[in-house]
Structure formats: C-alpha cells, structure tokens
Amino acid sequence: MRERSGLGVVGGLLVLLGALLTGCQSPSGGVDGRLSEAGTGRTAVVSPVPTRPSGYGAVFLAVGECSSFGTTSFTEVPCAGERAAARVVARHDGTVRDGPRCPSTTDFVLHISEQRPAFDEDGDGAVPRGFACMRNLQPPHPGDPGGGGGPRTIVGDCVYSSGDRQVRETACDGTGAQRPQFEVTRAVAERSDCPGGTALYVRLGGKRPVGCARPM
C-alpha cells in the first residue's frame, strides 16, 4: 500500500511539471513578438514593419497641405499649426514653364527641387522636381483680382508700363510701389474681340490669352 501511494505522488508531480512547461511556451505570434521555428528549438525575432506617416507628410506638399513661411526655404507643416502660412491648391511635377497653369487666384508658386526624404509619394525615396501653387492662409492675397501680385495676370488686375513694351502688375488701390496705369477688364481669344476704348493688350495665356486693358 505504501508503494502504490508513492507512485501516485510521483505520477501527479510529472503531470503538474508537464503542465507548467506547457504554460511557459509562447504561442505562435505571442505577446513577446517572437515566432518559434518548428522543429529547431530556436526562436526568430520579427522586426516591426515600418509604416508611412498619415496626415501631413505622407505625400510631400500634396493638395490641401500647408507650408511654412518662405518661398526659397520652406518646410511642410500641419495646417493647424502656428507655423503654417499657405496651403497647396495645385501640385504638379516638372517645371512651371512646361507644366499646367496654376489656378487664377494663386498667391505664389513654390519651386520644389528633387529631394530624397525618409518618406515620399511612392516609397522610392525621392520627391521629383515640381511646383506647388500656393494660397496664403491669411490676407493679403496678391493673387486676387487687383491684388498686385500672383503668378498670373487675370481680369481685374492692374498693370503699369515697365519699358520696352513690357507691363508689370501692381495693386489697383495704389498701395503698391508703382502707380497703376491700366486695368484688365476682359479676357478674349483675339485682339479684335476687345471692346472699344481698349488702350492696351496684355498677354494672359490660356484659352483666352488676350487681356483688354483700359487706362485708369
């Protein structure tokens, strides 16, 4: 009777030890981030897969994102941050000369040279050369009609003669460095489409490339 009792205790201890060993093993994909290699007794460490950032920065200066102050030195920043100065209203690869035209009320253009940041549009480690059409978050808006600036001359803008049959844009309200001499009142396809009293023809580009300007 004493022998049978001793065997029963030993058997119980073996069962308990087996349960404890089973409990110490990490299941596949366990909380310690390790995966057991079947049949080898070794453990492989799995590195976390890097994820691309969401929100600003996922695409460099995409439409709707914002830049800091500056036209030659700038960074992309959250639009709600205190450093945000202007928002991207259009974004194109290539150069301004060869690319599409910016929207008419663009305040200024950012020229983006080729870069190789940590994250970019397609994950190849490069941001191609391009340009972003920008709109200030707060006034003034030089791209507005009569605002005196912007990359495009549009209807409502004012110009002055800069010599050699050239004109430059200036503020219609006279607050610019130069006094306005002419106001662009209409955009047409041909000069013959301009109304009577037109004193100057201004090159606008686009589908209606001729600006009809009257003296002020």
Side-chain angles (χ1 to χ4, degrees):
M1 293 294 291
R2 192 173 298 164
E3 278 184 41
R4 294 182 63 183
S5 177
L7 289 174
V9 171
V10 172
L13 289 174
L14 289 176
V15 172
L16 177 60
L17 180 60
L20 290 173
L21 289 174
T22 302
C24 290
Q25 294 178 353
S26 296
S28 177
V31 296
D32 60 356
R34 298 172 184 268
L35 296 176
S36 297
E37 296 183 13
T40 66
R42 295 179 298 174
T43 300
V45 178
V46 180
S47 300
V49 178
T51 57
R52 299 177 66 186
S54 60
Y56 92 96
V59 176
F60 186 69
L61 284 182
V63 173
E65 292 177 346
C66 294
S67 75
S68 61
F69 294 89
T71 57
T72 57
S73 177
F74 58 89
T75 56
E76 183 180 299
V77 296
C79 290
E82 60 181 12
R83 295 180 59 205
R87 189 185 305 272
V88 181
V89 294
R91 170 78 155 80
H92 305 289
D93 293 339
T95 64
V96 174
R97 179 178 303 223
D98 301 327
R101 290 160 59 83
C102 283
S104 59
T105 56
T106 297
D107 287 331
F108 64 95
V109 175
L110 287 181
H111 299 270
I112 303 168
S113 59
E114 185 176 355
Q115 303 176 48
R116 298 187 179 278
F119 295 96
D120 63 281
E121 288 92 333
D122 53 12
D124 66 355
V127 172
R129 182 181 182 186
F131 61 96
C133 309
M134 309 298 295
R135 176 83 172 170
N136 293 331
L137 295 179
Q138 301 293 334
H141 293 290
D144 284 351
R152 294 182 54 182
T153 301
I154 59 177
V155 173
D157 281 340
C158 295
V159 298
Y160 68 95
S161 175
S162 60
D164 297 329
R165 300 177 63 85
Q166 299 292 320
V167 295
R168 294 186 180 277
E169 192 175 333
T170 188
C172 289
D173 61 6
T175 58
Q178 299 292 331
R179 184 177 62 84
Q181 298 174 331
F182 304 92
E183 180 183 358
V184 180
T185 59
R186 187 175 299 184
V188 296
E190 304 287 344
R191 288 191 177 189
S192 57
D193 297 329
C194 284
T198 297
L200 183 72
Y201 303 99
V202 180
R203 183 182 302 171
L204 304 180
K207 295 182 179 180
R208 294 186 293 175
V210 179
C212 313
R214 64 174 181 80
M216 295 184 68

